[in-house]
Structures are given as structure tokens and as C-alpha cells.
Amino acid sequence: MTDTALPNPAASNLTKPNTPTTDTTAIVTGGARKIRRHTRRVEPIYYFFLVPTLILFTLAITVPGVMGIFFSFTDSIGIGEWNFNGLTNYVAMFSDPSILQSYLFTFGFSIATVIVVNVIAFMLAVGLTSRIRFKTGLRTIFVIPMVISGIIIAYVFNFLFSNSLPNAAAGSGIPWLETSLLANPDLAWVAIVIVTAWQAVPGTLLIYIAGLLSVPGEVYEAASIDGASKAQQLTRITIPLVAGYVVINIILGFKGFLNAYDIIVGLTNGGPGTSTRSVAMTIIAGFNGGDYAYQMANATIFFIVAVLISLLQLSLTRGRNAL
């Protein structure tokens, strides 16, 4: 007979891994909760920076905005007594041809300027990120218009459009340029688009440069090995990969051009007539002319439009790599 080895309970206990008991698990879980609670604690220094800024923002922007919306339902002229008149200002605003004209000009000008700015800025960004000499110096030169005041730029171009360009056209035999573009009701908006784009291109250019530099160089190397031309690389690699930056520039540019004021004031002051008067100019002119409540209704509608555009921006850019 062969001896059969009996199992050793002590040995089997030694080979079994120790499993945590309920008490041990509770202790570990409780400790994790304490650590998590401790990490979620906000340091007081953050409130030191947040609270003063929040108070200033509320007093300088939120409170005046709410008061303006309130007075848009009155007949106030900005001072003195006032009475509620309900939606009278809003009804009158939607039937006012001068306000409708200002919205039409503002949106048309904004769309045209967005197209011009983004096309020029993207072309410059592609050139300034290629292998050319002095590209750092050229980037500096192209950014200069961004740091110059808009009203100064407008006065300089006003002189060019009113004097230099007509004189040059007269000497070159170009009759339709012998008179200032700013005095032509049909072409004054073109001059405004040119000047606004001249100042806005640098900011858009910087965003496009950042987007182009974020594209991995290995992608272009692989495309070159496969025989792709520069034009094919641009249309099939560069543009799709920087599409998020294109969306950001279009939305931000459109929002910014809706508030156009200083360049228009320096170039045409809303003229000839009211052909180049923007919404911002109409609102400010109404404040100065005693139509406070009426133009506050206009400002409220304009604010709603800006909010809708902001929501559109968030919906279009949510989840994109550019963000």
C-alpha cells in the first residue's frame, strides 16, 4: 500500500492570499473619501482673485445692462421722469427704415470683411510657415497693424482715399477713382472693408500660424513620398486639419465686425447720408439725440443677436482639437 498524503490545513492557509475583511475595506474607503474631500477643497487665494473681479464685472457690465433692458420698456430720454410703454419701442424699431438699414449694412459689411480677412490671413499664414528667409521678421511686420489704434488708421486711410488715390487715378487715367470712394454711396463700404481688413488680418494670421504649426511634419513627408503635389497637400491635408481654426476665426471675426464703430467714424462718419451707418453708430447717435429708451430697445435686440452668435460659436467649436 502507498501512503496517501493528507492535506495540511496550515499549509493551505499559507498559500491562500489574504483577502481584506469588511473592516479593512471600510477603513480604506473612508480614507479615500477623506483624500477626495481634501483635494476638492478650494484654496482661499482663488476667492481673493475671483470675488473682486466678479464684483467689478457685475457693477460695470451686468447692472448697467439690466437697467438698460428695463428702460427699453419705458419712454425715458436718459434723465428725468419716465413712464412704461410696454413693447412700443420694439414695435417701432422693427418698422424704422434707418435701423433696418443699419442692420443690413452691418451684417453685409461683416460677412464681406470676414471673407476677405480669412482668405488673406490664411494665404499669408501658409507663406509665413513655409521655408522662406526672413519669415520671423515678416511676421513682425504683418502684425504691426494690430497694435495701432483704429481711429488713427481710419484718419490715415481717409487722407489716402480722399487725396492720394484720386490724384494717382487722375494721373493714370482711371476716371472712376478720380473721386473719393468715401463720397460714393455705392462704394464707400468697400473702403471700410479694406481698412477694417487691414487691421484685422494680423490677429487672424496669428491664429492660422498656430494652427499650421500644429500639423505634424510627418504627414507632409508621407504625402510627398506618395507623390502628392503642394496643391494637393494644401487642399487634402492642410485645410482639413486646420478646419477648427477656420471656424474659430470666422465666428470671432463676425462677432467683432458686428461692433464696428471707430474705423467707420474716422472714414465716413456713417455717410454719405446714412449708407455706412452701423448698428453701434445708430445706438450711440440715439443716446446723444435723446432717444435713450428707443435705442436701448435696439441695443437689447443687438445683444440677443450677439448671444445667438456666441451660442453658434460654442456649438461649432465644441470638441474640436483647435480648442
Side-chain angles (χ1 to χ4, degrees):
M1 295 181 61
T2 59
D3 295 336
T4 303
L6 298 176
N8 189 352
S12 62
N13 288 337
L14 291 176
T15 58
K16 287 183 180 181
N18 292 327
T19 57
T21 61
T22 304
D23 296 338
T24 307
T25 305
I27 293 174
V28 173
T29 306
R33 289 177 180 175
K34 290 181 180 179
I35 295 174
R36 192 179 301 112
R37 191 181 300 114
H38 178 72
T39 57
R40 290 180 179 177
R41 180 175 175 271
V42 179
E43 295 294 334
I45 189 64
Y46 295 114
Y47 293 108
F48 176 78
F49 287 99
L50 175 63
V51 173
T53 305
L54 186 62
I55 293 174
L56 292 175
F57 181 87
T58 302
L59 295 177
I61 297 179
T62 305
V63 172
V66 172
M67 292 177 61
I69 295 174
F70 172 81
F71 280 110
S72 69
F73 297 97
T74 69
D75 60 356
S76 173
I77 61 173
I79 57 174
E81 298 180 355
W82 49 267
N83 298 303
F84 281 105
N85 59 5
L87 298 176
T88 303
N89 293 328
Y90 291 91
V91 174
M93 186 192 73
F94 284 105
S95 59
D96 189 339
S98 63
I99 290 183
L100 296 179
Q101 169 63 27
S102 67
Y103 273 88
L104 181 63
F105 167 76
T106 302
F107 278 92
F109 153 78
S110 300
I111 293 172
T113 310
V114 162
I115 295 174
V116 172
V117 167
N118 280 273
V119 170
I120 295 176
F122 185 80
M123 294 173 62
L124 289 175
V126 171
L128 293 176
T129 54
S130 60
R131 297 179 180 179
I132 61 174
R133 294 182 178 180
F134 311 113
K135 61 182 179 182
T136 303
L138 290 174
R139 290 178 187 177
T140 304
I141 294 174
F142 282 114
V143 169
I144 290 177
M146 187 174 62
V147 299
I148 303 176
S149 172
I151 194 68
I152 295 176
I153 294 173
Y155 283 133
V156 172
F157 274 93
N158 191 330
F159 178 83
L160 295 177
F161 285 125
S162 301
N163 299 279
S164 302
L165 186 59
N167 293 335
S172 303
I174 307 176
W176 64 277
L177 281 178
E178 292 181 2
T179 58
S180 175
L181 291 176
L182 304 177
N184 190 332
D186 298 325
L187 296 177
W189 68 272
V190 177
I192 297 174
V193 169
I194 293 173
V195 178
T196 305
W198 190 82
Q199 187 189 32
V201 162
T204 308
L205 170 65
L206 293 178
I207 295 178
Y208 278 137
I209 288 177
L212 293 173
L213 293 178
S214 67
V215 179
E218 294 80 1
V219 178
Y220 294 106
E221 293 179 3
S224 298
I225 294 173
D226 291 338
S229 63
K230 292 297 182 181
Q232 291 175 329
Q233 293 179 22
L234 177 64
T235 56
R236 299 183 182 182
I237 297 177
T238 303
I239 294 178
L241 290 180
V242 300
Y245 295 87
V246 175
V247 172
I248 291 174
N249 276 328
I250 290 175
I251 300 300
L252 293 180
F254 189 74
K255 286 172 56 181
F257 300 142
L258 286 178
N259 298 318
Y261 179 77
D262 52 351
I263 289 180
I264 300 178
V265 170
L267 287 175
T268 63
N269 198 26
T274 59
S275 60
T276 60
R277 176 172 287 187
S278 65
V279 177
M281 291 186 65
T282 304
I283 293 173
I284 295 177
F287 288 164
N288 297 331
D291 291 334
Y292 176 76
Y294 184 59
Q295 292 302 329
M296 278 311 311
N298 189 8
T300 301
I301 297 299
F302 195 54
F303 169 74
I304 294 174
V305 171
V307 170
L308 293 177
I309 294 175
S310 299
L311 295 177
L312 176 63
Q313 174 194 359
L314 293 175
S315 63
L316 291 177
T317 58
R318 184 179 294 115
R320 292 187 177 272
N321 293 332
L323 295 178

